[in-house]
Amino acid sequence: LNRSIFGIFRLNKMVLQLRTSQISPKECISPRFKSCFLSFVPLLAWLPRYPFRENAIGDLISGISVGIMHLPQGMAYALLAAVPPVFGLYSSFYPILIYFIFGTSKHISVGTYAVMSVMIGSVTERLAPDSDFVIPGNDTNSTTLDIVSRDAERVKIAATVTFLSGIFQLLLGLVRFGFVVTYLSEPLVRAYTTAAAIHVIVSQLKYSFGINPQRYSGPLSLIYTVIEVCALLGQTNIGTLVVSIVTIIGLVAAKELSALAAHKIPIPIPVELITIIIATVVSWQMDLKTEYRVEVVGEIPSGLQAPVAPAVSLLGSMVGDAFALAVVGYGIAISLGRIFALKYAYKVDSNQELIALGLSNSIGGLFNCFAISCSMSRSMVQVSTGGKSQVAGAISAVVILVILLKIGELFEELPKAVLAAIIYVNLQGMMKQFGDICSLWRTNKVDMVVWVMTLILTVLFNPDMGLAASIAFSILTVVFRTQLPKYSILGQVPGTDIYKPVEDYNQVKETPGIMIFRSSATLYFANAEMYIDALYEKTGVDVAKLLSHKKKLEAKRLRKEKKAAKKAKKEAKKRLSVKEPKDVAAVEAGPDPDTDTPLPRAIILDLSPVNFLDTVGVKTLRNIYKDYGEAGVQVYLCDCVVESMEKGDFFNEKVTKSILFSSVHDAVLYCQQGNSKEVMQGTHL
C-alpha cells in the first residue's frame, strides 16, 4: 500500500513536470521500461558485456563436456518418464535454450533430472497404463501390446503435465512468490531426493532383469511393485541381467579411475558416453536383440518435431501433479543456484528463476519435452571444466542439436539395461545421503525426524503425494516446537551481564530473591497455558494455590471477627465492638502449608525469544502480572514486543511501562538496588 501511494505521488509529480515542459515523455517512460524489460530478459543485459577473451574458451570446453553428458542422461531419464528415449534428448535441447535467455544463474546445468523424470513417469503410467493398450490376438487367449499407441499417449501426457507445471511456475514468478521455496528445508529436500531415488531404482528393475511387472499406482505402489518384481525373478532374462551387471561394474570402476585421475586431466572423462558407445557396438555386433532377446532403445527419429498444443482435456486430472513438479523443480534449481551464486559472488533472482523455469517447461511442453530442473552432477562438471556463464549451457544445447540431426539414429541398438545401469550409478550420490541421519541425530533431532518421516512418506506414497505430506509434517514440527519449547530459569555468569540457563551451565549463579524465567519459543495462543504452568513449576510458586490459601485465611479471619463482634455485643451493648486493627485485612497469606518454598521478591520474564504477541499472549502476561502482584511478588518484563502489548491494551493506570527493561541485567540491577534514580536511568524501555 505504501509503495502504491508513493507511486501515485511520483506519477503526479511526473505529470506536473511534463505539463511544465521540465522533462520529456521519453525521459519519463524509457528508463523504467528498459529496467523492467532487461530484468525480464537478462540475456540482453549481460551478453553485450560478455568478456569474450576471458570466458569463451572455458565456456566452449564446458558446454561440449556437459552436452556429452546430456546424451546418456537424457536417454536414461526418458525411461524414468516412461517415454521413448529420443524425448529425453528433446528435453535436453529446447528448455536449455529458453533458460539461456531468461535465467540468472551462471553455473547451473538445467535439463533432465532423475527426480522430475520419475514424477513424470508416475503420471504417464497412471493415466496411460499398459492395460489400456492391450489388443486381442488371433488366438482366443493371446494378446499383444500396442506399444506405438501407448508411447504416443504417454508422450502427450508428459508434455501436457510439463506445460501445466510451467504455467504454475510462471504464475508464481509473476506474483513474486519465490519465497515458496523456504518451506522446503534442506533436510526435507535431501530426504525427498533420496526417497525419489528409491522410486527410480525400483522403476528400473524391470529393465535390469528383463521382466514386465504390473504397473501399480497410489499409496504403497512401491511396495506392491517390489513384491511383483520378486515374484517374477524366475522369468529373468539372463542376457539382460548380464548386460546390466557388466555395465554397472564397468561404470563404477571407470568413475573411480576417473576420480583418481581428475587432478591430472583438466577435462573429465565422459564415462557414460564411452559406455553407451561400447554397449551399442557390442549389441550391434552380437545382435543381442535377436539372439538373447535383450530389449534395445529402438527407432530414434532424426530431426526436430513441430510444436503441438497440449491436451486440454487432461489438465483437470493432473493439477496436483503439475503443481508438485513446479515446486520441486524450482526448489532444487534455486537451492543449487544460490550455492554457486554465493561461491562466485553474484546474485540469483529467485522470482526471475521461476519465470525462466516456467517458460522452459511451458514452451518445452509444446515441443513434447518433459519437465526439467537442475542436475548437480552436470553443474559440477560445468563448473570444473571452466564454465563461467550461461553460454556454456547454450553450447551444450548445440551439441544435443547435432546429435538429434545426425548422430542419434546410431544408438538404436543400445540396450535399455545399459541406460538403467547409468541411472543406478548416477544415483549413488543420493543414496549416500542416508548418512544425514547420523549427523542430524548429533546436531538436531527434530530435523532428523523430518528427514526420516519425509523418506517414509515419500516411499509409501507417490512422490507428489509424499511431497505434500512431507511439507505438512515439516510445518507441523514448527507448531510442536512452539507448543513444546524449553523453559529455563536463568542465572548470572559471575562478573558479567550474561545470563544462561542454570540447568545447562555449572558456573552460573541464581540471584537471591530474584527468579529469571525464559521460554525458547514465542508466546501465543497454542502455548499460553503451558507457559503459565512451566512458570509455576520452575519458580516453585503456584500462584493459584497461593491465592486460594490466602482467600481461606481471609475467610477464616472474617469468621473470627464476626464471632468476636457478636460476643462483644452481648457483653456490653453500649460499648463499641472490639475489632481487629484495620491493617489486619492486609495479612500476608504466608507460604502455602503444602510447601516450604519462600516467595521471591521479584520475577523477571525474559521475552527475547518472543517475536510477536497475539491477544492471548498479552492477556497471559497481564494475568501473570496481576496474580503475582496479589501474592506480593513484583513482575518485570525484558525485551518484549511493546507494540503488540500497546495494541492489546496491556498498559493502564496501574500497569505502566516502568516494568519494562531493555535487558535482563538492567532488571536485576533495578530489583537489587530498589528503584533508585541512578539505576532507573537508561534501563527502562
Side-chain angles (χ1 to χ4, degrees):
L1 181 60
N2 291 335
R3 290 181 179 177
S4 301
I5 294 173
F6 177 76
I8 292 172
F9 282 125
R10 186 176 179 183
L11 182 61
N12 290 335
K13 183 179 179 181
M14 288 183 176
V15 172
L16 180 61
Q17 290 175 334
L18 282 170
R19 289 177 177 176
T20 57
S21 301
Q22 294 181 16
I23 59 174
S24 65
K26 183 177 180 180
E27 291 174 344
C28 175
I29 298 174
S30 179
R32 185 66 179 269
F33 176 78
K34 181 180 179 181
S35 175
C36 293
F37 186 73
L38 291 180
S39 64
F40 181 72
V41 189
L43 175 72
L44 301 179
W46 62 263
L47 190 59
R49 301 193 301 268
Y50 178 74
F52 188 84
R53 292 184 178 180
E54 292 82 358
N55 295 354
I57 300 299
D59 285 339
L60 177 63
I61 297 174
S62 175
I64 295 174
S65 302
V66 174
I68 291 173
M69 288 187 68
H70 272 296
L71 171 62
Q73 289 189 0
M75 297 176 69
Y77 294 158
L79 297 183
L80 298 179
V83 297
V86 68
F87 292 94
L89 300 182
Y90 295 151
S91 302
S92 301
F93 172 67
Y94 292 106
I96 296 176
L97 289 181
I98 302 300
Y99 186 84
F100 167 69
I101 299 172
F102 296 98
T104 59
S105 176
K106 301 178 181 179
H107 296 92
I108 65 172
S109 173
V110 297
T112 56
Y113 184 60
V115 175
M116 304 290 289
S117 300
V118 75
M119 293 176 70
I120 289 286
S122 67
V123 181
T124 55
E125 294 187 347
R126 185 185 78 237
L127 298 181
D130 289 342
S131 58
D132 291 353
F133 301 92
V134 175
I135 302 175
N138 295 327
D139 299 333
T140 304
N141 297 325
S142 65
T143 58
T144 57
L145 181 63
D146 188 355
I147 297 178
V148 176
S149 299
R150 182 201 65 183
D151 288 347
E153 182 66 18
R154 288 181 174 179
V155 168
K156 182 169 65 174
I157 293 170
T160 302
V161 73
T162 298
F163 173 81
L164 184 57
S165 70
I167 295 300
F168 277 130
Q169 288 174 330
L170 272 175
L171 293 176
L172 292 176
L174 292 175
V175 299
R176 319 301 289 175
F177 208 65
F179 69 89
V180 69
V181 75
T182 58
Y183 293 100
L184 301 176
S185 64
E186 183 180 359
L188 187 148
V189 172
R190 290 177 66 85
Y192 180 77
T193 54
T194 304
I198 296 175
H199 278 277
V200 170
I201 291 173
V202 172
S203 68
Q204 295 304 292
L205 292 177
K206 61 181 180 181
Y207 297 113
S208 298
F209 291 97
I211 56 179
N212 189 24
Q214 181 181 350
R215 166 67 187 176
Y216 296 94
S217 60
L220 302 180
S221 60
L222 184 75
I223 308 300
Y224 295 142
T225 303
V226 171
I227 295 174
E228 179 78 6
V229 169
C230 293
L232 295 176
L233 287 180
Q235 305 176 15
T236 300
N237 185 312
I238 302 301
T240 302
L241 183 61
V242 170
V243 170
S244 180
I245 293 174
V246 171
T247 304
I248 292 174
I249 295 174
L251 277 171
V252 172
K255 281 184 174 291
E256 292 296 329
L257 293 175
S258 177
L260 293 175
H263 63 284
K264 297 181 180 179
I265 304 176
I267 302 176
I269 301 174
V271 176
E272 289 93 347
L273 178 63
I274 295 173
T275 300
I276 65 173
I277 291 175
I278 295 175
T280 303
V281 173
V282 171
S283 175
W284 171 59
Q285 289 292 329
M286 299 182 64
D287 196 10
L288 297 180
K289 178 181 179 181
T290 304
E291 295 293 333
Y292 300 97
R293 294 183 293 109
V294 176
E295 188 176 4
V296 298
V297 169
E299 182 182 0
I300 299 179
S302 59
L304 302 175
Q305 292 189 343
V308 180
V312 180
S313 60
L314 297 174
L315 294 178
S317 60
M318 55 181 60
V319 173
D321 303 292
F323 188 78
L325 283 167
V327 174
V328 173
Y330 171 67
I332 294 171
I334 193 63
S335 299
L336 195 58
R338 285 175 175 173
I339 292 174
F340 287 116
L342 182 63
K343 182 177 180 180
Y344 294 99
Y346 65 93
K347 184 179 179 181
V348 172
D349 188 339
S350 58
N351 292 300
Q352 180 61 27
E353 286 296 292
L354 264 174
I355 294 175
L357 291 173
L359 289 172
S360 298
N361 281 322
S362 57
I363 296 177
L366 299 178
F367 289 92
N368 289 328
C369 301
F370 54 85
I372 56 96
S373 185
C374 170
S375 169
M376 169 67 82
S377 59
R378 291 197 306 268
S379 299
M380 294 304 297
V381 169
Q382 181 168 319
V383 172
S384 62
T385 52
K388 297 180 180 179
S389 71
Q390 294 95 317
V391 172
I395 294 174
S396 68
V398 173
V399 173
I400 294 297
L401 178 62
V402 173
I403 294 173
L404 282 169
L405 295 178
K406 298 293 182 183
I407 306 175
E409 59 186 13
L410 299 178
F411 297 101
E412 293 181 353
E413 295 297 322
L414 175 65
K416 289 185 177 180
V418 174
L419 296 177
I422 292 174
I423 293 173
Y424 296 148
V425 176
N426 284 336
L427 291 178
Q428 63 178 332
M430 292 186 185
M431 302 309 294
K432 290 179 180 178
Q433 293 178 159
F434 274 104
D436 293 351
I437 298 177
C438 296
S439 60
L440 290 174
W441 174 263
R442 294 190 299 268
T443 56
N444 192 313
K445 291 182 176 58
V446 176
D447 284 344
M448 188 272 296
V449 173
V450 171
W451 201 102
V452 173
M453 286 303 300
T454 300
L455 179 76
I456 294 173
L457 292 171
T458 309
V459 167
L460 294 181
F461 302 108
N462 284 336
D464 51 352
M465 296 174 60
L467 176 65
S470 301
I471 293 176
F473 180 79
S474 180
I475 295 175
L476 195 61
T477 60
V478 177
V479 177
F480 285 151
R481 291 189 195 191
T482 58
Q483 277 194 302
L484 303 173
K486 180 180 179 181
Y487 299 102
S488 306
I489 293 295
L490 304 185
Q492 184 180 17
V493 178
T496 69
D497 58 355
I498 300 173
Y499 293 81
K500 296 292 183 180
V502 294
E503 62 268 22
D504 295 339
Y505 298 88
N506 297 327
Q507 300 298 322
V508 299
K509 303 295 182 183
E510 292 189 54
T511 306
I514 302 174
M515 304 293 290
I516 308 171
F517 179 77
R518 182 174 68 188
S519 169
S520 62
T522 192
L523 176 61
Y524 70 121
F525 70 93
N527 62 9
E529 185 175 348
M530 288 176 282
Y531 186 91
I532 295 177
D533 293 339
L535 178 62
Y536 291 168
E537 180 184 354
K538 290 291 184 179
T539 58
V541 180
D542 191 336
V543 175
K545 187 181 293 185
L546 189 64
L547 293 178
S548 176
H549 177 59
K550 183 178 180 180
K551 289 179 181 179
K552 290 179 181 179
L553 290 178
E554 183 70 14
K556 185 177 180 180
R557 184 187 64 78
L558 291 176
R559 286 196 301 269
K560 287 183 178 181
E561 286 183 358
K562 189 175 181 180
K563 186 177 181 180
K566 288 181 179 181
K567 186 177 180 180
K569 286 181 180 180
K570 289 180 180 180
E571 292 178 353
K573 292 183 178 181
K574 295 183 180 181
R575 298 173 55 186
L576 294 174
S577 300
V578 179
K579 296 183 180 180
E580 296 289 334
K582 291 184 179 181
D583 57 350
V584 174
V587 169
E588 294 290 336
D592 192 320
D594 297 333
T595 178
D596 296 331
T597 304
L599 287 176
R601 299 198 315 272
I603 291 179
I604 300 173
L605 301 181
D606 181 7
L607 302 178
S608 54
V610 178
N611 50 20
F612 73 92
L613 280 170
D614 61 1
T615 55
V616 177
V618 173
K619 185 177 180 180
T620 300
L621 292 178
R622 186 190 301 120
N623 291 337
I624 290 174
Y625 180 84
K626 175 178 174 293
D627 292 344
Y628 274 99
E630 291 180 358
V633 180
Q634 183 64 43
V635 176
Y636 298 101
L637 310 179
C638 301
D639 289 331
C640 59
V641 185
V642 180
E643 294 81 3
S644 298
M645 300 180 74
E646 289 176 341
K647 292 179 181 178
D649 296 330
F650 180 83
F651 302 107
N652 51 40
E653 295 179 358
K654 296 181 179 180
V655 184
T656 64
K657 291 186 178 181
S658 61
I659 66 171
L660 305 182
F661 289 85
S662 59
S663 69
V664 173
H665 189 61
D666 291 339
V668 171
L669 293 178
Y670 184 83
C671 295
Q672 287 178 332
Q673 301 184 21
N675 302 356
S676 65
K677 293 183 179 180
E678 292 80 2
V679 178
M680 291 177 66
Q681 290 179 351
T683 59
H684 292 88
L685 289 174

